[in-house]
Amino acid sequence: MSSNPEFKHIQEYLDKGAVVLDVRTDAEFDEGHVKEALHIVLDDLEDEIAQVKALDKPIITCCRSGARSERAKDILKDKGIDAINGGPWQNVEYYI
């Protein structure tokens, strides 16, 4: 587990019905992902904000290492969506 302070909130977010958003490439996602994760490639996220907002749920972003999911979290927060960075997808899967 990383020392990212947001990681301690993963369980709390899952308990309130958060959706896991995986922002890796299609190829990376196909190699493995959190069950039932929403998959939107980071480069497409700005164009898919309406889809994410329509979920009306908090979001836990994840990727391979945590860098892209940090950018995704920032994009979502800038759009008024409650989001945290879950880091690597395996890290999030640990809580599920």
Side-chain angles (χ1 to χ4, degrees), residues 1 10-11 14 34 88-96:
M1 290 294 149
I10 292 173
Q11 188 62 58
L14 289 171
V34 174
W89 71 269
Q90 297 95 331
N91 186 56
V92 177
E93 186 177 55
Y94 171 82
Y95 291 91
I96 292 180

Side-chain angles (χ1 to χ4, degrees), residues 69-87:
S69 54
E70 180 69 20
R71 290 206 307 275
K73 177 206 72 172
D74 290 342
I75 291 168
L76 295 173
K77 286 181 97 60
D78 286 348
K79 303 293 184 185
I81 298 169
D82 182 11
I84 61 168
N85 178 8

